[in-house]
């Protein structure tokens, strides 16, 4: 977490060092990877994890899905990161003005599989409606919270690792303009 936050500080203060991005890093990681964290985040084009955390090849195991929801394939991917790659930190990164959450707020009925994504966002919207403050922002934050909770309770792999204290699962909110990763407390 400390390395991630230091990288984010370099990113948001325009002091990026862009480590581990050359041929040497590709060679070193070609036969084995030891990422320092797994990150579940949104597909949004503005959320480039290796930039936001100023790191490179082999550093992050990233799952991206619009709305950063913990669907079955995402949970499976994170289980792989924990069991096979020995990842000890799972970070859920949601963000300001997320389109998936906005769609659920506006109660749109989109075609195709988009509806499935909107359905994932509805519990967060419901939770946010009872909270004081700006609704979209509250829903984004509630969605991060619910996703973290779902991962902590995902049986049997993530839940047992989390309960025994061998992995940490945290949520973070990304600010689009400042580039700040705000670690959430729950
Ligand atoms: Zn988004």
């Amino acid at each position: 977490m400390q390395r991630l936050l230091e990288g984010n500080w370099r990113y948001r203060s325009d002091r990026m060092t862009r480590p581990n991005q050359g041929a040497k890093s590709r060679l070193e990681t070609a036969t084995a990877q030891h990422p320092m964290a797994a990150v579940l985040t949104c597909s949004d084009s503005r959320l480039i994890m290796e930039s936001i955390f100023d790191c490179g090849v082999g550093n992050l195991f990233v799952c991206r899905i619009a709305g950063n929801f913990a669907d079955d394939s995402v949970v499976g991917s994170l289980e792989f990161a924990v069991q096979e790659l020995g990842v000890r930190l799972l970070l859920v990164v949601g963000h300001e003005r997320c389109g998936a959450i906005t769609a659920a707020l506006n109660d749109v009925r989109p075609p195709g599989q988009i509806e499935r994504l909107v359905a994932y966002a509805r519990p967060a919207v419901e939770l946010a409606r009872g909270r004081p403050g700006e609704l979209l922002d509250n829903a984004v934050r509630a969605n991060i919270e619910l996703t973290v909770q779902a991962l902590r309770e995902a049986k049997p792999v993530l839940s047992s690792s989390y309960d025994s204290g061998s992995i940490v699962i945290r949520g973070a909110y990304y600010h689009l303009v400042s580039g700040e990763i705000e670690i959430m407390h729950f």
Side-chain angles (χ1 to χ4, degrees):
M1 183 68 92
Q2 190 59 35
R3 280 176 71 191
L4 292 179
L5 293 178
E6 284 169 7
N8 180 243
W9 179 82
R10 293 193 300 274
Y11 174 70
R12 63 180 207 259
S13 52
D14 278 337
R15 290 178 169 87
M16 290 172 77
T17 59
R18 295 180 178 81
N20 310 329
Q21 296 188 14
K24 183 170 172 283
S25 300
R26 293 197 300 273
L27 182 65
E28 281 169 359
T29 56
T31 53
Q33 54 169 324
H34 305 285
M36 58 179 162
V39 182
L40 165 56
T41 190
C42 185
S43 302
D44 193 296
S45 63
R46 299 163 292 187
L47 275 75
I48 309 162
M49 291 300 112
E50 282 79 0
S51 295
I52 287 170
F53 293 112
D54 193 23
C55 57
V57 177
N59 291 147
L60 296 176
F61 183 95
V62 182
C63 297
R64 289 177 73 168
I65 173 175
N68 42 271
F69 306 115
D71 81 352
D72 290 348
S73 302
V74 165
V75 171
S77 301
L78 294 172
E79 287 175 347
F80 176 82
V82 169
Q83 284 215 313
E84 302 301 320
L85 305 179
V87 167
R88 292 288 165 259
L89 171 63
L90 272 51
L91 190 64
V92 177
V93 179
H95 68 101
E96 193 178 359
R97 292 198 284 277
C98 182
I101 309 297
T102 305
L105 259 184
N106 297 336
D107 205 25
V108 292
R109 301 283 162 175
Q113 297 298 320
I114 305 174
E115 167 59 20
R116 189 193 290 258
L117 291 176
V118 172
Y120 278 130
R122 288 204 182 98
V125 170
E126 290 314 308
L127 191 59
R129 283 195 202 283
R131 294 178 173 177
E134 205 259 313
L135 185 57
L136 173 59
D137 204 60
N138 284 345
V140 165
R141 289 172 184 274
N143 182 54
I144 297 166
E145 196 176 324
L146 289 177
T147 303
V148 166
Q149 199 176 315
L151 295 180
R152 287 174 178 172
E153 291 168 2
K155 287 182 171 47
V157 179
L158 299 183
S159 61
S160 61
S161 298
Y162 178 74
D163 291 343
S164 69
S166 62
I167 62 170
V168 169
I169 307 177
R170 299 292 299 271
Y173 179 101
Y174 178 67
H175 295 262
L176 292 176
V177 176
S178 69
E180 183 196 354
I181 286 283
E182 173 195 334
I183 299 297
M184 297 173 70
H185 298 282
F186 44 74

